Amino acid sequence: MRTEGRFIHTMRQLCICMLFLPALSAQEVSLSSELNIRNYFSYELLGKVEDRYMILRDKGFVKEVDVFNEYLEHTATAELYLEQKRADLIHSIGLDSVFQIIYSYVERDSVYVKMRRYDSRVQLVDSTLLRVMEKTQLKKRFGALTSEDSKRILLHNLNKDNQLVMMVYDNDVGELLWNYGLIIKDFSPRLDKYDFLLTNDGQLLITIEPQRDFNKKDNSSVRLVYYDFRSAAAGASTIQLEGYVRRDLFVDFDNLNKKLILMGTYSEKFGKEPLGFYLVHEPLENITDDTKPEYLTFSKNLIDKVSQSKKKKSKIFQNFWIKDIIKRQDGGLIVMMELYREFSRRSSYSPGVGRSDFNSAARRGWVDYYNEDVIVSSYNPQHELDWTKILYKKQFSQDDEAIFSSYFVMKTPSRLRLVYNDEIKKNSTVSEYIMDPTGRVKRNSLLSTSNLELKLRFRDAMQLSNNELLVPSESSYSLSLVKITY
C-alpha cells in the first residue's frame, strides 16, 4: 500500500514538473490529497514537525490535526480531546519536535487558559495551566501574536475597565514570563486603533492610532507605548508628522540591529497625492516626544516609470500601500508597496436583505478586488536610496476578500523570491520575481494549475527553510497542501 501511494505521488509530481518552463526545471512541487473543509471554521498550517507536515482544522466542537509524510501523503487524522468541546483556540505553532496549542474554556464563572504540546504522532507530551480569570472580567476573546524568532507568544485581552490584560509565554522555558494588566492613560479601545508587537528580547510595543478628526482632516500622529518585562522599564511617546498627513502605517522591529521601524506614506493634505515615505528607525530607548520622522521623497525616476502605465498622472501613488519591509543585515531596509484597490458593486437601489436571505449571495461581498504592481525600494543604513524596481502583475477577483491575490516573499541570504498567482482562477499559472541584493530582477514561471483544481493562497504560505515553501490551496470546499522545493 505504501509503495502504491508513493507511485501515485511520483506520477502526480511528474505531471506537475512537466508543466514547468525550461528556465526553472530544478523546482520540485509536491501535492497532497484533498481534505474537506466545508463545515470548518478555520485551519492553521503547523508546518514541519520532525519529518511530518501538519495542519490543524477547527470545526468548532471538533479540533483535528492532519499529518502528512515527506511525500505529502496523508498518513493520519487525530482529534484533540480538550477539557471542553467549546474550547476556543487562541494560538497554534509548530516547533522543531512538537506542535503547541494555547486555548481557553469556560467552567462555571471562570476562564481557564491552558497550553498543550503534542509530538509528531499527535501524542500529548505536556499540558500546563497558564491562568484562571473571572469570566465577567473579560470583554472579548484572547488575541495572540508571536515574536519573530517564534520563542515568545503574547496573549492579550481587555477587561471590563478597558485595561489591557496580557501574558507573555516563553516556548523555550515553558512558562509565563509576564502576567500583568497594563493601564494606558487616555486610551479608548472603542475609538482608537491599536496593535501589538513583541520583540525577540521580550519588549512589548503598542502602537495607537488616535481616531481621525474628520472635521480637521488631521491624521498626523502615532502614539507609542512600550514595556520591557525583564527590567520593568516602560515609556510612552507621540510621533508627530508636523506639516504633513499620515496615509498609512507599518510598524516592525529590527531584532538584529535592535531598532524600531515605523513607516508609511505621507502627503501635504488629507486626500492628496503621496509625496514619499516618513520613517522613524531608532532604538526604542531613543524615541521621545521630540523624535521627528525622516521624509524620503519619491524620486523623479520612479514617478516617471510609474506614470507610464497610469492614465491619471496626478494620482499615480494614490493606491499604493506598504505591504512588507524586509530588514537588511547591514541595517538598511527594503520597502515593498503594492497597488491595491477595491470597488463595491452594490447599487444604492438594491433591496434590503431579509432574515431568510442571511446565507444568500446578497450577504456576500459584492466587491471587486485589484492587486497589481509592486514597487520595491532598497535603502542603505543611512536611508539613502540604493535602487528601486517595479514588479508588474495584474490580479483581479470578486467577492473573495482577495485571499488568493497579492504575493508571498521567500527570504534567503542571497535573494528574495516574490511568488504569486498570475490570475485568480483555477486554470492559471504561478510566477515569481527573483531579486538579488543589487536590485537585479528575473521573472520566471513556476507551474501551471490547469487540470489540477488548485487555487493557491500565497498570502497564507509558510516558509519552512531557505529552499522549501508550503502553500495551502482551496477549491470547492477542499483543502490541499502544495510544497515547492528549490
Side-chain angles (χ1 to χ4, degrees):
M1 183 65 67
R2 178 58 58 86
T3 303
E4 180 183 354
R6 291 187 179 179
F7 174 75
I8 294 173
H9 164 80
T10 302
M11 292 304 295
R12 182 189 293 121
Q13 201 174 64
L14 178 61
C15 290
I16 298 174
C17 290
M18 288 174 64
L19 299 170
F20 286 0
L21 293 188
L24 276 185
S25 58
Q27 279 83 17
E28 179 181 322
V29 179
S30 301
L31 173 65
S32 76
S33 57
E34 295 180 342
L35 300 173
N36 178 31
I37 56 172
R38 178 177 291 275
N39 297 316
Y40 288 78
F41 295 147
S42 64
Y43 62 84
E44 295 286 340
L45 298 184
L46 298 175
K48 194 173 185 179
V49 179
E50 290 186 336
D51 59 346
R52 294 291 185 262
Y53 300 89
M54 295 188 170
I55 186 168
L56 173 62
R57 291 187 289 166
D58 186 357
K59 201 176 183 179
F61 288 169
V62 178
K63 278 76 174 173
E64 296 174 330
V65 173
D66 293 280
V67 184
F68 301 83
N69 64 16
E70 59 181 312
Y71 306 102
L72 282 194
E73 297 169 335
H74 187 266
T75 59
T77 297
E79 183 176 348
L80 305 182
Y81 293 98
L82 308 178
E83 289 81 355
Q84 296 281 352
K85 284 188 173 294
R86 293 181 180 270
D88 181 26
L89 284 174
I90 301 173
H91 184 269
S92 62
I93 188 172
L95 304 173
D96 290 337
S97 59
V98 297
F99 71 89
Q100 173 181 286
I101 64 170
I102 297 178
Y103 60 99
S104 65
Y105 63 92
V106 177
E107 195 170 279
R108 295 183 180 178
D109 296 328
S110 299
V111 177
Y112 292 76
V113 181
K114 294 194 72 173
M115 181 280 298
R116 284 192 177 196
R117 286 183 175 180
Y118 298 83
D119 62 20
S120 60
R121 298 175 299 168
V122 200
Q123 299 295 315
L124 181 65
V125 296
D126 190 15
S127 178
T128 304
L129 176 64
L130 302 183
R131 188 170 181 181
V132 181
M133 304 181 64
E134 292 184 19
K135 179 182 176 182
T136 56
Q137 287 291 317
L138 300 177
K139 294 183 67 174
K140 54 191 290 188
R141 298 172 61 186
F142 276 95
L145 63 104
T146 311
S147 61
E148 188 175 59
D149 61 3
S150 300
K151 291 185 178 181
R152 294 186 172 96
I153 300 169
L154 172 71
L155 309 180
H156 55 86
N157 208 326
L158 284 173
N159 65 16
K160 63 179 182 179
D161 299 320
N162 286 335
Q163 181 182 11
L164 289 168
V165 178
M166 287 171 289
M167 294 173 271
V168 175
Y169 182 78
D170 191 299
N171 288 328
D172 285 348
V173 179
E175 62 182 31
L176 284 179
L177 299 181
W178 190 31
N179 189 356
Y180 293 107
L182 186 63
I183 299 176
I184 302 176
K185 295 181 180 179
D186 304 321
F187 170 59
S188 174
R190 185 175 63 86
L191 299 176
D192 298 332
K193 180 181 177 182
Y194 60 100
D195 206 352
F196 303 91
L197 191 149
L198 185 65
T199 72
N200 291 347
D201 293 333
Q203 295 170 303
L204 171 67
L205 176 67
I206 305 172
T207 56
I208 304 173
E209 300 178 67
Q211 185 186 37
R212 183 180 298 178
D213 188 339
F214 287 96
N215 293 322
K216 296 181 180 180
K217 300 291 189 296
D218 183 21
N219 192 32
S220 59
S221 65
V222 178
R223 192 176 174 196
L224 301 174
V225 178
Y226 75 91
Y227 188 93
D228 191 331
F229 74 89
R230 302 167 304 172
S231 61
S237 58
T238 300
I239 305 298
Q240 295 282 355
L241 275 68
E242 296 180 351
Y244 295 109
V245 174
R246 173 177 55 80
R247 295 182 67 252
D248 60 348
L249 174 65
F250 192 102
V251 181
D252 203 347
F253 191 82
D254 185 344
N255 287 287
L256 179 63
N257 296 286
K258 312 299 182 185
K259 288 185 177 182
L260 169 72
I261 303 168
L262 189 150
M263 195 171 192
T265 54
Y266 71 94
S267 56
E268 290 184 340
K269 295 182 180 180
F270 180 79
K272 295 295 184 180
E273 171 76 357
L275 301 176
F277 300 118
Y278 66 89
L279 172 65
V280 175
H281 191 198
E282 295 285 345
L284 276 177
E285 58 270 21
N286 292 355
I287 296 177
T288 67
D289 287 341
D290 296 326
T291 300
K292 304 299 180 186
E294 294 181 62
Y295 297 97
L296 313 176
T297 57
F298 294 137
S299 66
K300 184 179 184 304
N301 182 45
L302 176 61
I303 294 173
D304 291 341
K305 286 184 178 180
V306 180
S307 298
Q308 293 175 4
S309 58
K310 305 301 175 188
K311 294 180 180 179
K312 295 183 178 180
K313 306 299 182 182
S314 61
K315 292 188 176 183
I316 57 174
F317 293 106
Q318 194 69 35
N319 296 306
F320 278 97
W321 308 93
I322 294 181
K323 183 68 180 295
D324 290 289
I325 295 179
I326 313 297
K327 282 88 70 175
R328 292 176 17 175
Q329 291 186 348
D330 63 356
L333 303 173
I334 298 176
V335 185
M336 308 184 78
M337 287 197 304
E338 184 179 34
L339 195 159
Y340 174 79
R341 298 170 294 163
E342 62 178 65
F343 299 98
S344 174
R345 303 192 308 278
R346 184 178 295 278
S347 168
S348 58
Y349 298 100
S350 62
V353 179
R355 184 180 299 272
S356 61
D357 298 322
F358 184 79
N359 291 319
S360 69
R363 294 291 296 185
R364 292 199 288 267
W366 290 80
V367 178
D368 294 341
Y369 298 95
Y370 296 84
N371 291 73
E372 300 182 18
D373 304 338
V374 177
I375 300 175
V376 185
S377 301
S378 182
Y379 293 89
N380 66 21
Q382 291 73 44
H383 305 147
E384 300 167 335
L385 183 65
D386 282 342
W387 51 263
T388 297
K389 299 292 181 180
I390 302 176
L391 311 181
Y392 297 98
K393 67 180 181 69
K394 193 174 184 65
Q395 297 167 321
F396 168 75
S397 64
Q398 294 180 313
D399 309 332
D400 64 351
E401 297 184 359
I403 62 174
F404 304 102
S405 300
S406 199
Y407 60 88
F408 180 83
V409 178
M410 190 170 181
K411 307 166 189 174
T412 69
S414 60
R415 62 178 59 85
L416 298 176
R417 296 179 183 270
L418 188 146
V419 191
Y420 63 98
N421 293 308
D422 283 306
E423 295 180 274
I424 310 306
K425 60 182 183 180
K426 290 183 181 179
N427 298 322
S428 181
T429 54
V430 173
S431 295
E432 69 172 356
Y433 282 103
I434 305 175
M435 293 171 284
D436 71 8
T438 64
R440 291 183 299 180
V441 176
K442 179 182 179 182
R443 183 183 181 277
N444 292 313
S445 291
L446 287 180
L447 64 104
S448 169
T449 60
S450 298
N451 304 317
L452 294 175
E453 295 296 314
L454 294 178
K455 289 188 72 175
L456 297 168
R457 294 182 58 159
F458 280 107
R459 284 168 50 181
D460 301 299
M462 176 182 290
Q463 182 173 343
L464 303 177
S465 65
N466 283 343
N467 67 334
E468 197 171 36
L469 182 66
L470 193 64
V471 190
S473 171
E474 286 184 34
S475 179
S476 302
Y477 298 104
S478 294
L479 170 67
S480 301
L481 296 181
V482 177
K483 182 178 67 170
I484 302 175
T485 306
Y486 291 91

